[in-house]
Amino acid sequence: MNAIQKIEREQMRIDLPKFNSGDTIKVHLRIIEGEKERIQIFQGAVIRISNGTTDATFTVRKTSDGVGVERVFPMHSPSIERIEVVQEGRVRRSRLYYLRNLKGKAARIKPKNRW
């Protein structure tokens, strides 16, 4: 293992849960405003996961007041307090960009059946 891989391994977070595309998650973000610090929750469906070492990212999409909002989060960011998996979704693709064109009930993702 070379020096770069060793440094990257130290920066990676191992406390994050496993989630896939189509899952509904809550991302608890640490927001700093001046001297105050608070936690803001961003809940939505995971439409993309980009794997990698320290540059891994995931994209979460939610609908807020009828407007679609997407946000890209670095997987190993220190500003992420924690991630909760609310519901696992049943999808056939890893990139769910088609959700951008759907509205209302058509934009829902079916839950994964656990028998």
Side-chain angles (χ1 to χ4, degrees):
M1 183 183 326
N2 62 16
I4 294 174
Q5 288 176 340
K6 196 172 193 180
I7 293 170
E8 283 181 346
R9 181 151 298 153
E10 293 171 1
Q11 299 297 321
M12 292 175 64
R13 295 180 60 170
I14 57 171
D15 61 337
L16 300 178
K18 293 282 185 188
F19 57 90
N20 295 315
S21 292
D23 293 353
T24 302
I25 63 172
K26 284 184 183 179
V27 182
H28 296 257
L29 290 169
R30 212 177 285 120
I31 305 292
I32 299 171
E33 297 171 338
E35 297 174 0
K36 295 181 186 175
E37 184 176 316
R38 65 184 176 92
I39 302 294
Q40 185 178 41
I41 299 174
F42 192 91
Q43 179 176 344
V46 179
I47 64 168
R48 176 178 189 251
I49 296 176
S50 172
N51 292 324
T53 52
T54 54
D55 59 344
T57 60
F58 60 97
T59 305
V60 180
R61 178 179 176 83
K62 74 173 184 176
T63 304
S64 179
D65 293 326
V67 178
V69 178
E70 289 184 12
R71 188 156 178 194
V72 180
F73 296 100
M75 188 80 73
H76 305 289
S77 172
S79 65
I80 294 177
E81 181 72 26
R82 66 182 178 172
I83 297 174
E84 291 179 43
V85 178
V86 176
Q87 183 180 37
E88 293 183 0
R90 191 177 81 211
V91 293
R92 294 178 155 194
R93 309 209 179 322
S94 62
R95 309 278 198 247
L96 304 179
Y97 298 139
Y98 64 89
L99 290 177
R100 294 172 178 165
N101 300 325
L102 300 178
K103 293 182 175 76
K105 288 187 176 182
R108 290 183 298 181
I109 298 172
K110 293 181 181 178
K112 189 179 281 188
N113 292 336
R114 290 187 167 191
W115 300 102

